[in-house]
């Protein structure tokens, strides 16, 4: 088998669309077997069809990443079926809808932080557990955001959640180093990427023009731009990389 992640088994959450779908296709193209999960089991199954059509290996599961019982079922399924896990892409997330802090309820806050922090916390914890059992090391990739590093108006819950993902991942990387289990944990910080999460805003001329002006490279990103970073962190090419932040933002944070 050839490819940059040949022979590895990957779990991709939120794999039914956007960055998760592009990453599933990319990892499969490069030789991984991909377990694609999503809140919406049908969209995860569609991603799997695309992988199979392209000659790759994948299967899907419906998976609400905020539910620990479902996480345990996903882990049990991988333990029984693939019998190893090398890559976890904790990608599932929500945007929070752009409410100002003064208009945000505790319920809104918990919805965003439940999906974006608790889901990633469980994916990191259970991912490491399975990787340790298999004994081959592994790579956990947690999707944060440029807004896990700087603030944005109307994004307080999202800012908190993505900042938490970033520093939580560093703590997990240190614990893996201390345990000597060969597991690496890193974050990716996308800038503006055209996906279902952003298309409403990016179709508005005022917002798109602002985002373009704010992005030195002069275009809105594609899901594939992030999938390319996922592939690097998933592969052994990044074997000396842990506890770090891969910013893929067309230069947004350089300003
Ligand atoms: P997307 O197309 O909306 O993908 C997000 C996926 O996550 C959807 O398939 C969604 O399912 C799924 N999901 C949401 N809550 C879930 C849960 N509790 N359990 C399982 N799956 C869940 O958006 P995307 O842009 O690809 O987002 C992927 C990640 O990138 C997110 O973490 C996002 O915060 C991050 N990000 C995106 C951008 C950007 O500009 N697009 C920038 C920075 C960071 P449903 O569609 O069924 O709800």
């Amino acid at each position: 088998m050839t490819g940059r992640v040949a022979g590895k088994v990957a779990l991709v959450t939120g794999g039914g669309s956007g960055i998760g779908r592009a990453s599933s296709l990319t990892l499969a193209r490069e030789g991984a077997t991909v377990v694609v999960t999503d809140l919406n089991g049908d969209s995860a199954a569609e991603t799997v069809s695309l992988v199979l059509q392209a000659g790759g290996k994948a299967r899907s599961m419906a998976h609400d990443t905020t539910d620990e019982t479902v996480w345990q079922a996903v882990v049990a399924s991988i333990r029984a079926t693939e019998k190893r896990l090398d890559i976890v892409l904790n990608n599932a997330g929500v945007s929070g809808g752009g409410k100002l802090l003064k208009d945000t309820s505790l319920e809104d806050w918990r919805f965003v932080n439940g999906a974006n922090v608790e889901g990633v916390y469980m994916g990191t914890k259970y991912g490491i557990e399975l990787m340790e059992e298999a004994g081959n090391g592994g790579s956990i990739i947690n999707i944060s955001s440029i807004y896990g590093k700087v603030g944005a108006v109307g994004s307080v819950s999202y800012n908190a959640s993505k900042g938490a993902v970033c520093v939580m991942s560093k703590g997990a990387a240190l614990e893996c180093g201390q345990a000597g289990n060969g597991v690496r944990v890193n974050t990716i910080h996308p800038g503006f990427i055209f996906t279902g999460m952003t298309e409403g805003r990016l179709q508005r001329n005022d917002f798109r023009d602002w985002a373009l002006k704010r992005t030195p490279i002069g275009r809105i990103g594609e899901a594939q731009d992030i999938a390319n970073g996922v592939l690097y962190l998933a592969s052994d090419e990044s074997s000396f990389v842990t506890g770090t932040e891969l910013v893929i933002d067309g230069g947004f944070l350089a300003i």
Side-chain angles (χ1 to χ4, degrees):
M1 195 187 296
T2 57
R4 289 166 65 189
V5 286
K8 295 185 190 285
V9 174
L11 168 63
V12 176
T13 70
S17 63
I19 292 168
R21 175 169 288 178
S23 299
S24 298
L25 284 160
T26 300
L27 291 168
R29 184 195 75 210
E30 292 295 330
T33 298
V34 187
V35 179
V36 182
T37 75
D38 201 284
L39 195 54
N40 178 343
D42 290 342
S43 65
E46 271 171 37
T47 300
V48 167
S49 300
L50 294 170
V51 168
L52 299 178
Q53 277 166 35
K57 287 193 218 148
R59 69 182 175 98
S60 66
M61 291 184 76
H63 177 198
D64 178 351
T65 58
T66 66
D67 186 332
E68 187 159 28
T69 311
V70 184
W71 264 111
Q72 286 162 347
V74 169
V75 164
S77 169
I78 294 172
R79 188 181 280 127
T81 309
E82 285 80 17
K83 300 183 174 59
R84 64 182 287 161
L85 184 62
D86 306 279
I87 301 156
V88 178
L89 176 61
N90 285 306
N91 162 79
V94 295
S95 74
K99 284 187 185 170
L100 295 177
L101 173 60
K102 66 185 174 61
D103 301 322
T104 304
S105 66
L106 189 55
E107 197 185 342
D108 296 330
W109 169 276
R110 286 183 176 151
F111 172 71
V112 173
N113 282 278
N116 293 1
V117 184
E118 291 180 13
V120 174
Y121 149 74
M122 287 187 273
T124 304
K125 176 178 166 175
Y126 286 115
I128 292 169
E129 187 180 298
L130 259 182
M131 287 170 182
E132 280 185 334
E133 275 174 34
N136 302 306
S139 174
I140 310 259
I141 304 159
N142 293 336
I143 300 292
S144 177
S145 170
I146 48 174
Y147 290 142
K149 297 183 65 63
V150 295
V153 172
S155 290
V156 165
S157 303
Y158 190 79
N159 282 149
S161 70
K162 293 300 188 178
V165 165
C166 178
V167 187
M168 173 175 71
S169 301
K170 292 181 193 295
L174 296 181
E175 290 191 14
C176 288
Q178 193 172 63
N181 59 20
V183 178
R184 300 180 292 106
V185 187
N186 294 289
T187 49
I188 292 182
H189 300 254
F192 289 110
I193 309 298
F194 198 89
T195 66
M197 185 176 282
T198 51
E199 72 179 342
R201 277 172 292 160
L202 288 171
Q203 276 164 356
R204 272 181 21 223
N205 289 342
D206 59 336
F207 185 85
R208 193 181 55 250
D209 290 350
W210 174 83
L212 281 170
K213 269 197 206 109
R214 218 18 214 85
T215 304
I217 218 136
R219 67 173 172 87
I220 302 300
E222 300 290 337
Q224 189 62 44
D225 291 311
I226 307 306
N228 293 340
V230 167
L231 177 61
Y232 167 68
L233 288 176
S235 77
D236 294 340
E237 293 155 30
S238 58
S239 63
F240 198 53
V241 180
T242 196
T244 198
E245 305 161 25
L246 177 54
V247 175
I248 305 177
D249 68 346
F252 182 100
L253 289 177
I255 296 176

